[in-house]
Amino acid sequence: MRALTMEAEGPARVKTLDDGDLPAGDVTVAVEWSTLNYKDGLILGRQRRMVPNYPHVPGIDFAGTVERSDDPRFAAGDRVVLTGWHVGETHWGGYATRARVKGDWLVPLPQGFSTRDAMALGTAGFTAMLAVLALEDHGLGEGEILVTGASGGVGSVAVSLLSALGHPVAAVSGRDGAADYLRDLGAARIIPRAELAEAPTRPLDTEEWAGCIDNVGGPMLARVLTQMRYRASVAAVGLAGGTDIPTTVMPFLLRGVNLLGIDSVLCPRDLRQRAWDRIAQDMPMDKVRSTVTEVGLADVPRLAESILTGGVRGRTVVNVNA
């Protein structure tokens, strides 16, 4: 098997390994596609301490076909997808032509959905759908939906998905040239990042947003909370702008605003299946595919550095056999 392999020191390299090197697990998958996420960039770069043991194969997502299974829920030939569960972090991941994992971590791909499309979405698309489900479950009303960090992986998919579901989307981005890209994905309005970047100066502002998917956190999230409509919700999925929220309890007490934390790593299996079923039903894959760049295993280390500095737009799929 070929794998992008990390040692305790030095750059990650593509190597040939023996199948016997694979970690314990009850399902062996022939990996066809993986993808690149911000967390992959951290693991390959500035947060190598996230990996407890070396050598290590990173890649937090993969999709492929079952080769062998000791789990009765899966059989050879089944097409499956994996996101989360600390795979690619504490367990060998998807930047390889084979993976061995627990059956509990796998979800059957919906009928008619390709493994490449699954990784065109990956954790980013899965997280965007979890956020939409959370907003819907808490009574998503009519009106403009805000997406912060809109030109990133989760943001791009969220803009496409919300637009396809009929919601007017206001997309926040500070990247040069992002406006046309976001409009092509379905954004009705582009808001420069600078307009929301500063912490709020008062506990409540004018009500504007019927919902929000926030990829940024920090002062921007605090500002957005003051602008949410009565009983509207914010689905928090990221922290690109910081982990502290300089806010008050006023939006929650006086407007009944909901702040919904979205966890895609240890998300329960029934919710995972619900999300992938909705993805197959509602995701505008033509728009998602338009954001995709395809690369091989050897390209991943360079792109992992770039994604940490905002240099990767949209989605990147990794052909592990290339």
Side-chain angles (χ1 to χ4, degrees), residues 295-308:
V295 301
L297 278 179
D299 300 308
V300 170
R302 171 181 54 83
L303 292 169
E305 294 180 12
S306 185
I307 199 172
L308 297 180

Side-chain angles (χ1 to χ4, degrees), residues 92-221:
W92 280 19
Y95 292 156
T97 53
R98 281 185 183 78
R100 185 176 294 142
V101 296
K102 294 182 179 180
D104 286 342
W105 299 345
L106 296 170
V107 175
L109 269 187
Q111 191 70 28
F113 209 72
S114 74
T115 53
R116 188 183 190 277
D117 280 347
M119 289 296 98
L121 295 165
T123 286
F126 175 63
T127 301
M129 180 55 82
L130 289 178
V132 169
L133 291 175
L135 292 178
E136 291 177 346
D137 290 347
H138 285 79
L140 181 59
E142 294 184 2
E144 204 166 24
I145 312 299
L146 187 72
V147 178
T148 67
S151 53
V154 178
S156 296
V157 179
V159 170
S160 300
L161 176 58
L162 288 166
S163 175
L165 291 172
H167 299 287
V169 178
V172 182
S173 179
R175 294 187 185 180
D176 293 338
D180 289 343
Y181 168 76
L182 292 168
R183 289 192 185 95
D184 288 344
L185 294 181
R189 182 156 66 111
I190 310 300
I191 298 178
R193 181 170 55 199
E195 290 189 13
L196 294 173
E198 301 297 327
T201 57
R202 51 186 177 178
L204 291 174
D205 208 336
T206 303
E207 295 182 47
E208 289 197 52
W209 317 114
C212 173
I213 296 178
D214 175 59
N215 292 277
V216 177
M220 185 175 293
L221 174 56

